[in-house]
Amino acid sequence: MNRRRLFLKSSGLALVTFGAAPRLLLQAAYATERVGRRALVVVFQRGANDGLNTVIPWDDGRYHAARKTIALPAPRGSATDRALDLDGFFGFHPALAPLVPLWKEATLAAVHAVGSPDPTRSHFDAQDYMESGTPGRKSTDDGWMNRHLKARPDPAATALRAVSLTPTLPRALQGTAAAVAMTDVRRFGLRPGSGSAIARGFEGMYGAAVQDSLHGTSQAAFEAMGIVQRLERSAPTAPGVRYPRGALGPQLRQIAQLVKADVGLELAFAETGNWDHHAAQGGATGQQANRLRELGRALAAFRQDLGPRLDDVVLVTLTEFGRTVRENGNRGTDHGHGSVSLVMGGPVAGGKVHGRWPGLRPSELYQERDLAVTTDFRDLLAELLSRHLGCPGLETVFPDHETGSARYPGVLA
């Protein structure tokens, strides 16, 4: 029997464990003394977010010339349909207004012109390369987050050390180290499909089935799951916090629960889709504005919900590549190269756009059409893994890539 992934199905009910025996779930349930564990949260924007209309170079005339209908106007007074000035050159999209207080309190920063050195414009390949951490190599069988777990072994780790709030385990967390995928912490493990009677009777059936393969730990597993499912009471959302509707808000709300419940969380993964806007992208309003509004509200709620625990957390956004500098004939943008990452957390050197800005002159563009990449995404992640989580083996996390502090963008204080 495959001990890494055990599926027992009967009458529509399944218990699933990914990469860990149930004994570890019990450790997670009783890990309340592990206060202050540092965590890294990754939010993947699938579809290729347009970085130029997220953190906007509003003071560059070439930006406005290339985007006749979708460029955001320069800041002026209290207008709400213009870029929100950050430093006299860059500004937030107005839909990101909830993030301005975080910028001012220096818990939020940006890294512009960040991305993969691989030239692919395929969503599938670019996401695969970014999650595997090996651009251009399709043969990698594990993800960079999973390799971090192996590079920094923790004998006291719980089964909730690495969690993805997604239906299936993302590429970044796949590998031989333990990682868990769940869409709802309240329903983790048990998915009843035929009524409570089956759920009540399943424990005995499961116990018999795993007696040999998991050495009689089924009772412990069920006890642990019961505690994990009570996180709603043990770590409720902070008063007054309102996460937005949509996919991302509930994911970040549950990650905040896991952080505050001190169940040993170290790596968390969330995702948000529909960033591929080839037509009718919009400027201050429209498709991208709607996606950014959800992102901004979700990140602001996450920050408020964590409160002082933000000192233990760093959140980073990633997207597979950016968009073309010039808008197309359908008032959208096509697949590009460099984009932008947001980095939020107590340890962040906030209130600053990090990375080297390459410029928008034709000679400065990648293949004369895209924002160039001046910060390899692996260098950004290497800084977070090394300086925030204390990862000692970056050469195994990002093989065939020279890492070192000289290459870090400097996003941590």
Side-chain angles (χ1 to χ4, degrees):
M1 182 178 294
N2 186 337
R3 294 187 57 178
R4 181 173 177 271
R5 187 171 293 189
L6 173 66
F7 293 86
L8 290 173
K9 298 183 179 180
S10 176
S11 303
L13 184 69
L15 181 139
V16 184
T17 67
F18 294 85
R23 186 183 302 276
L24 293 178
L25 287 172
L26 188 62
Q27 294 174 3
Y30 292 102
T32 55
E33 73 276 8
R34 299 171 63 86
V35 177
R37 186 183 184 96
R38 291 183 174 185
L40 173 64
V41 180
V42 174
V43 175
F44 206 113
Q45 297 170 277
R46 299 196 185 277
N49 177 43
D50 178 16
L52 290 176
N53 268 20
T54 301
V55 177
I56 304 154
W58 62 263
D59 195 41
D60 191 325
R62 297 174 187 83
Y63 161 77
H64 298 280
R67 300 181 165 210
K68 298 294 186 182
T69 70
I70 67 170
L72 276 295
R76 181 181 300 167
S78 59
T80 59
D81 61 347
R82 295 172 173 270
L84 304 174
D85 185 39
L86 296 176
D87 60 7
F89 182 84
F90 290 108
F92 274 152
H93 188 288
L96 296 178
L99 298 184
V100 172
L102 282 66
W103 186 270
K104 292 181 178 179
E105 73 177 15
T107 58
L108 178 69
V111 182
H112 225 313
V114 66
S116 171
D118 190 85
T120 184
R121 300 184 192 277
S122 161
H123 291 295
F124 177 84
D125 287 345
Q127 289 181 27
D128 183 78
Y129 294 155
M130 188 163 281
E131 291 194 68
S132 70
T134 55
R137 185 197 299 179
K138 294 187 177 182
S139 60
T140 306
D141 59 4
D142 54 6
W144 67 266
M145 297 178 80
N146 199 279
R147 293 196 296 275
H148 161 76
L149 298 174
K150 292 184 289 185
R152 187 179 175 276
D154 183 358
T158 75
L160 299 180
R161 182 186 182 192
V163 175
S164 178
L165 271 296
T166 54
T168 60
L169 206 62
R171 180 79 165 87
L173 275 171
Q174 291 178 14
T176 57
V180 176
M182 63 178 83
T183 56
D184 191 334
V185 296
R186 295 168 301 180
R187 295 177 176 86
F188 172 57
L190 291 177
R191 299 197 293 270
S194 303
S196 58
I198 293 177
R200 287 194 300 270
F202 185 68
E203 182 173 351
M205 180 185 68
Y206 173 76
V210 302
Q211 183 70 35
D212 295 330
S213 64
L214 295 179
H215 309 291
T217 59
S218 58
Q219 181 63 40
F222 275 87
E223 291 173 0
M225 288 176 192
I227 296 175
V228 170
Q229 291 165 11
R230 289 194 291 271
L231 283 176
E232 195 75 30
R233 294 194 296 272
S234 64
T237 301
V241 175
R242 296 291 182 269
Y243 285 93
R245 294 181 179 180
L248 185 59
Q251 292 177 68
L252 291 184
R253 181 182 65 82
Q254 293 180 89
I255 291 172
Q257 281 185 275
L258 293 170
V259 171
K260 294 188 294 182
D262 297 310
V263 296
L265 183 70
E266 182 174 328
L267 294 178
F269 186 96
E271 62 184 16
T272 167
N274 301 317
W275 295 92
D276 193 17
H277 303 131
H278 289 277
Q281 176 175 315
T285 60
Q287 294 186 86
Q288 189 194 19
N290 293 337
R291 306 304 300 127
L292 290 174
R293 186 171 297 107
E294 180 186 357
L295 177 70
R297 290 175 177 174
L299 295 186
F302 185 67
R303 187 267 172 272
Q304 184 182 359
D305 196 4
L306 286 179
R309 292 304 300 270
L310 189 71
D311 288 343
D312 303 321
V313 177
V314 171
L315 178 149
V316 61
T317 66
L318 298 173
T319 194
E320 62 262 39
F321 45 68
R323 317 293 299 189
T324 50
V325 172
R326 187 172 299 278
E327 70 176 81
N328 60 30
N330 295 315
R331 298 187 176 184
T333 51
D334 298 319
H335 298 176
H337 199 46
S339 190
V340 70
S341 286
L342 300 179
V343 188
M344 182 178 75
V348 170
K352 181 180 178 180
V353 178
H354 297 268
R356 182 176 65 82
W357 177 246
L360 298 179
R361 295 185 180 90
S363 61
E364 297 167 333
L365 300 182
Y366 177 75
Q367 296 182 348
E368 299 184 348
R369 53 171 270 168
D370 304 326
L371 182 69
V373 170
T374 58
T375 297
D376 191 309
F377 78 95
R378 292 170 294 183
D379 295 323
L380 168 59
L381 296 176
E383 178 178 1
L384 303 182
L385 293 178
S386 175
R387 298 188 59 200
H388 182 56
L389 297 185
C391 180
L394 293 175
E395 68 281 356
T396 62
V397 178
F398 301 112
D400 303 324
H401 179 67
E402 181 182 350
T403 58
S405 58
R407 299 175 62 94
Y408 295 166
V411 294
L412 297 184

